[in-house]
């Protein structure tokens, strides 16, 4: 479809036309909407109709993640921000520019931002502040939260770390 992301219709086994040219995307947990990084904009579309529910001007290659409620999109722009797409508002966050991976914690309280060489966390309930400084990270290994959201793992060199999500202290190495 001309971009990095592809969305296929399982009913037709064909690419979903509304996602043509998408550079990235993220599904809402209920599957009713998808946020897409499209040429010149970031948009939230209804699925399967393709109706554009919200959009904002963008460069078309931002990494995106939708929170567990489906109300907020974490946008890894320069600078990064949280987009309340229904209200059309953006909230600045203390995160790295141009993250290559963005992940919400299972409870939606934290956002993990992974760049080419670092990983950091933003706390949603603390006005988008990072609870600790960015940590070194190997960019080829995806960082993620544990299932309960209290910790996250990342790699540095040839070591894997499990750290407290709120403070960054090492739980396991």
């Amino acid at each position: 479809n001309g971009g990095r992301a592809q969305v296929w219709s399982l009913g037709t086994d064909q690419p979903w036309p509304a996602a043509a040219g998408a550079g990235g995307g993220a599904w809402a947990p209920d599957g009713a909407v998808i946020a897409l990084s499209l040429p010149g904009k970031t948009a939230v579309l209804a699925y399967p109709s393709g109706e554009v529910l919200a959009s904002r001007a963008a460069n078309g290659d931002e990494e995106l993640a939708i929170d567990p409620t489906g109300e907020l999109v974490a946008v890894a722009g320069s600078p990064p921000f949280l987009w309340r797409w229904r209200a059309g508002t953006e909230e600045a966050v203390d995160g790295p520019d141009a993250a290559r991976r963005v992940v919400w914690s299972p409870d939606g309280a934290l956002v993990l931002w992974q760049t080419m060489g670092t990983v950091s966390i933003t706390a949603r309930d603390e006005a988008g502040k990072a609870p600790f400084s960015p940590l070194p990270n190997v960019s080829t290994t995806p960082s993620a939260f544990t299932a309960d959201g209290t910790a996250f793992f990342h790699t540095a060199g040839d070591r894997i770390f499990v750290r407290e999500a709120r403070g960054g202290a090492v739980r396991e190495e």
Side-chain angles (χ1 to χ4, degrees):
N1 67 10
R4 293 176 303 157
Q6 293 187 358
V7 179
W8 283 71
S9 169
L10 297 179
T12 64
D13 197 29
Q14 296 292 317
W16 188 47
W27 288 98
D30 65 5
V33 300
I34 184 171
L36 293 171
S37 185
L38 297 164
K41 67 181 177 182
T42 299
V44 174
L45 289 77
Y47 188 84
S49 72
E51 175 188 359
V52 177
L53 303 175
S55 68
R56 52 171 292 282
N59 64 14
D61 64 356
E62 298 165 323
E63 293 297 318
L64 310 170
I66 299 180
D67 81 321
T69 69
E71 297 297 317
L72 279 172
V73 178
V75 180
S78 294
F81 59 91
L82 302 180
W83 178 32
R84 292 186 183 280
W85 61 272
R86 289 185 199 275
T89 60
E90 298 174 7
E91 300 172 24
V93 296
D94 188 12
D97 284 351
R100 301 310 308 152
R101 178 173 165 79
V102 184
V103 180
W104 284 92
S105 62
D107 65 359
L110 303 169
V111 182
L112 180 146
W113 310 88
Q114 183 176 354
T115 69
M116 291 301 287
T118 65
V119 64
S120 59
I121 302 285
T122 296
R124 175 178 172 177
D125 62 351
E126 296 169 18
K129 297 298 179 200
F132 52 87
S133 297
L135 300 164
N137 189 68
V138 175
S139 63
T140 56
T141 305
S143 297
F145 286 100
T146 56
D148 67 3
T150 62
F152 69 98
F153 65 88
H154 75 103
T155 57
D158 60 354
R159 296 163 50 196
I160 298 173
F161 294 91
V162 178
R163 295 183 180 264
E164 296 292 327
R166 289 276 178 183
V170 175
R171 247 193 218 179
E172 292 180 42
E173 183 178 336

